[in-house]
Amino acid sequence: MIVFKKAADIGQFLDQAGKKYSRTGFVPTMGALHQGHISLIEMAKNSGELVICSIFVNPTQFNDAKDFQNYPSTIEKDIDQLEKAGCDVLFLPTVKEIYPDGLINYDPYKLGYLETVLEGKYRPGHFQGVCQVVHRLMTIIPANHLYLGQKDFQQCMVIKKMTELKGLSTKIIICPTLREADGLAMSSRNMRLNEESRAKAVEIFKTLSHIKAVIKPGDLVALKKDAVKKLNDAGFRTDYVEIADAGTLELKDNWNGKDKLVALCAAFLGEVRLIDNMLL
Ligand code: AMP
């Protein structure tokens, strides 16, 4: 695996590589890699592409300074895992390399409704930061395919919208959520859970699974309220348990029995905020 730290260097390399590889796949990450990230690398690898991964903890997408400071970093282990997975290129830039003109010098993305709900509502500015960094990374690494995890369901929709707004031709491939044996969605933030919290964390998966098992056409308000109460009783501080249209993310209080839905949840255990979702 070749490691680049400078945008100009990886740009030059990709120009040359273009003559050898007909297709490239890009997997942007914030590091502290787990098997979920590696499954994205493997997906790209299996389709015979030149696989590029980036590790960059993007300061502009953290609405909570403490969350940014505490974001786990395991760079040597990450490099080892990427090499074992057959990743071809790693981009490991500094903040200055990504934002040579400073952090706030950009045109806001017109994300509309998508950034007013769920993560957008509870983490103001988060999706602007996500678009800012992914747009910049996609300019440096103009791959054929961009691999994203369904674990960040709303983020996938936001990035798709950003690529449409900016007329980028990269195709977005959404990969399934990898889970621990008990069902907890793999996440870099899980590393910050103590033993007791780790045991509790699976309640999010159980809550989403319960919604999937019992949902019926008609009123959904009681089902959502009950889910929030159960999580809070178990020791979470729940931001939301919501049910939304899987295509538009329109929040639903009622279901006609036909529309494709997704249940989404965000909840704190102590200082650690966990998110998950499940197609219903
Ligand atoms: P992150 O490093 O958390 O920004 O994640 C980088 C990419 O990995 C994003 O596209 C995530 O959606 C994806 N990802 C994170 N966790 C998982 C998981 N458990 N399974 C599959 N993909 C994931």
Side-chain angles (χ1 to χ4, degrees):
M1 183 171 71
I2 314 175
V3 182
F4 292 100
K5 295 194 169 173
K6 301 267 181 220
D9 293 344
I10 192 169
Q12 205 177 17
F13 170 83
L14 292 174
D15 279 350
Q16 290 296 319
K19 292 173 196 141
K20 196 165 147 204
Y21 291 88
S22 55
R23 286 185 312 158
T24 46
F26 177 35
V27 183
T29 81
M30 297 206 297
L33 301 183
H34 49 68
Q35 200 50 40
H37 296 114
I38 297 302
S39 72
L40 271 53
I41 301 284
E42 286 168 349
M43 191 85 95
K45 193 77 196 163
N46 288 340
S47 59
E49 302 173 327
L50 179 80
V51 183
I52 305 139
C53 175
S54 65
I55 295 181
F56 178 66
V57 184
N58 174 37
T60 71
Q61 73 186 69
F62 285 84
N63 53 314
D64 174 355
K66 250 204 226 154
D67 189 27
F68 177 54
Q69 277 155 22
N70 292 331
Y71 201 82
S73 170
T74 57
I75 193 67
E76 268 156 38
K77 195 167 152 244
D78 293 352
I79 290 175
D80 195 45
Q81 289 185 82
L82 289 172
E83 284 199 319
K84 286 195 177 119
C87 181
D88 299 295
V89 178
L90 171 61
F91 185 43
L92 207 53
T94 58
V95 171
K96 185 90 190 126
E97 199 63 26
I98 294 294
Y99 301 117
D101 301 326
L103 299 185
I104 50 170
N105 201 357
Y106 77 104
D107 274 342
Y109 297 84
K110 295 188 176 66
L111 299 172
Y113 170 77
L114 268 186
E115 71 171 336
T116 65
V117 289
L118 305 169
E119 293 302 282
K121 177 174 165 192
Y122 285 90
R123 301 185 67 189
H126 168 64
F127 285 131
Q128 287 295 323
V130 168
C131 285
Q132 187 188 13
V133 73
V134 176
H135 186 196
R136 170 77 176 130
L137 286 166
M138 289 175 79
T139 308
I140 299 168
I141 303 167
N144 300 94
H145 294 143
L146 180 74
Y147 291 85
L148 301 174
Q150 191 207 310
K151 157 85 169 35
D152 297 277
F153 192 90
Q154 191 174 6
Q155 173 170 281
C156 293
M157 293 175 91
V158 162
I159 292 176
K160 192 154 196 309
K161 172 129 193 180
M162 181 277 286
T163 61
E164 285 161 10
L165 288 170
K166 295 295 162 188
L168 306 179
S169 60
T170 302
K171 187 172 172 219
I172 292 177
I173 314 243
I174 298 174
C175 307
T177 303
L178 252 75
R179 298 179 178 281
E180 303 289 354
D182 64 354
L184 173 67
M186 290 183 183
S187 164
S188 305
R189 288 186 172 87
N190 294 350
M191 288 178 200
R192 293 181 52 211
L193 297 170
N194 62 28
E195 205 178 323
E196 191 193 343
S197 295
R198 170 61 190 85
K200 259 187 211 166
V202 68
E203 290 304 323
I204 292 181
F205 172 71
K206 287 191 181 161
T207 299
L208 296 173
S209 303
H210 174 72
I211 290 175
K212 186 175 171 125
V214 304
I215 191 167
K216 295 197 297 282
D219 186 70
L220 301 175
V221 176
L223 182 62
K224 295 192 283 186
K225 268 198 184 149
D226 180 54
V228 171
K229 183 173 182 319
K230 278 200 184 120
L231 284 176
N232 287 344
D233 289 349
F236 288 81
R237 190 156 46 83
T238 307
D239 274 351
Y240 59 81
V241 177
E242 268 298 348
I243 298 173
D245 182 290
T248 63
L249 223 56
E250 181 200 342
L251 304 185
K252 296 280 188 187
D253 282 340
N254 209 286
W255 183 37
N256 61 11
K258 292 186 202 132
D259 294 341
K260 190 90 190 114
L261 301 180
V262 58
L264 308 105
C265 173
F268 283 91
L269 267 177
E271 279 192 351
V272 184
R273 188 172 183 277
L274 302 172
I275 62 168
D276 198 357
N277 66 82
M278 193 175 283
L279 289 164
L280 302 177

